[in-house]
Amino acid sequence: AGGNGYELFNPSIDSLLTEEEKVLYDEFVQARDEGHMTLFYQPMMSLQGSPDQQYICYFRYKMQDGKWGLGKNIFPIFEKVGIDADIDKITFTHSLKMLAKEKAEGKPTKLFLTLHPNTLLREDASRWVRQSIAKAGIDSNSLILTLKSHFAATYLKKAIELRDIFNKDGIRFCLSGVQANELELIQSIRPNYVAFDGQMIEVLKQQGTDKIVPLIQAAHNVEAKAIITNLEEASSLAQIWPLGVDFVTGNYISKPMSKLSYDFADNDF
């Protein structure tokens, strides 16, 4: 099994993954076994004067080159192997710890955390979320549970059901990766936040605002905040500014960082 003995001879995994996927999965397994997993945080800026300190959480592990990152298309690999719910559990627990620490230091921070299908489909998903939040002693609205739009479309009934349960418990729900043709999905799910797909900036540059304005309106019609992601430069911000978008995130604001240390008071907006 090589010098470090981490290679997995698991016949079920061998049959599920291609050779290329297996290499990526083994790299993750090594990081997991060595405890080298963490979250990175990307700050989200308000364009409407909201005082909220908000970050999107990204799962990262130590790659073989020593950098923190993610293997290419690793989440579909996690789903195939059936451990995406385990990853959610790790990131969920870690983010609750961070929120409890922020609360203790008197910082009102909100974290957006993505959930994957095997978490969503657990019978006890909502109970587990509710109990974990109560146990951590944090405000329920400080963790925003995020579901990618293509999963929401696939598991629509379950997504709507969870949104109802979460909202009843004061937990906010975000629909992310929303594409130009998903207006009806916003109307069906009625999330608290709508985060648009990173490609939307390109759509905006090439086709103007026609495609995105109806989506922002649809979000506001269901009382959701609209979020633009992948903002890389000032010229895109100038285009977005008049559209009524609530929050923006992307490397122009800040790259994902290993600590919750962004100075929200000291930005140029």
Side-chain angles (χ1 to χ4, degrees):
N4 48 16
Y6 77 88
E7 218 168 292
L8 292 183
F9 292 104
N10 178 332
S12 62
I13 285 177
D14 280 359
S15 61
L16 284 169
L17 303 180
T18 66
E19 284 303 316
E20 195 184 339
E21 288 174 332
K22 220 150 44 205
V23 170
L24 291 168
Y25 184 64
D26 283 349
E27 182 179 38
F28 159 72
V29 168
Q30 183 178 6
R32 182 188 66 187
D33 291 351
E34 292 171 359
H36 291 154
M37 298 182 292
T38 192
L39 285 178
F40 270 56
Y41 310 94
Q42 190 163 35
M44 199 184 274
M45 283 310 313
S46 171
L47 297 186
Q48 307 295 337
S50 160
D52 290 347
Q53 300 196 16
Q54 302 189 149
Y55 297 85
I56 300 177
C57 299
Y58 295 107
F59 176 65
R60 295 287 183 264
Y61 53 87
K62 201 163 254 185
M63 312 287 280
Q64 297 208 307
D65 62 7
K67 294 187 177 126
W68 293 97
L70 278 185
K72 188 173 183 257
N73 291 334
I74 195 75
F75 274 100
I77 295 173
F78 291 159
E79 280 161 50
K80 275 189 194 179
V81 178
I83 62 163
D84 54 325
D86 297 334
I87 303 296
D88 282 355
K89 214 172 191 165
I90 293 164
T91 57
F92 188 77
T93 309
H94 192 73
S95 59
L96 289 182
K97 246 189 229 158
M98 296 305 289
L99 285 168
K101 187 170 164 284
E102 290 286 293
K103 189 182 176 184
E105 291 171 10
K107 299 177 194 157
T109 302
K110 293 183 177 180
L111 296 180
F112 284 68
L113 190 71
T114 300
L115 297 179
H116 295 89
N118 285 319
T119 298
L120 192 67
L121 298 172
R122 276 174 54 160
E123 277 306 306
D124 64 340
S126 56
R127 191 178 75 234
W128 169 69
V129 166
R130 189 170 58 236
Q131 286 173 346
S132 306
I133 286 175
K135 207 165 119 193
I138 61 161
D139 304 325
S140 57
N141 68 356
S142 58
L143 188 67
I144 293 109
L145 296 176
T146 303
L147 186 63
K148 293 204 179 332
S149 64
H150 63 97
F151 293 142
T154 309
Y155 305 106
L156 187 60
K157 192 162 163 280
K158 184 76 183 173
I160 292 171
E161 188 185 304
L162 273 182
R163 189 268 345 259
D164 286 345
I165 295 168
F166 287 150
N167 278 186
K168 208 166 71 206
D169 291 329
I171 300 162
R172 299 279 164 250
F173 197 71
C174 172
L175 190 63
S176 73
V178 173
Q179 314 260 359
N181 60 354
E182 292 185 312
L183 191 121
E184 283 178 18
L185 195 60
I186 298 172
Q187 293 166 335
S188 302
I189 292 189
R190 305 178 68 86
N192 308 103
Y193 295 85
V194 174
F196 298 114
D197 183 72
Q199 293 301 312
M200 212 57 99
I201 296 264
E202 284 308 308
V203 172
L204 199 59
K205 280 184 194 163
Q206 289 161 17
Q207 304 175 28
T209 59
D210 291 1
K211 285 246 168 58
I212 194 162
V213 166
L215 292 169
I216 295 167
Q217 282 169 346
H220 289 160
N221 287 345
V222 298
E223 292 175 31
K225 305 278 188 212
I227 302 166
I228 290 277
T229 64
N230 254 28
L231 183 71
E232 299 288 338
E233 72 237 334
S235 59
S236 301
L237 182 61
Q239 257 189 305
I240 292 160
W241 201 276
L243 304 183
V245 169
D246 297 281
F247 297 97
V248 291
T249 180
N251 292 342
Y252 177 67
I253 313 291
S254 164
K255 286 189 162 71
M257 52 218 299
S258 59
K259 293 189 172 70
L260 295 167
S261 56
Y262 185 74
D263 188 350
F264 284 85
D266 187 35
N267 63 71
D268 304 331
F269 297 170

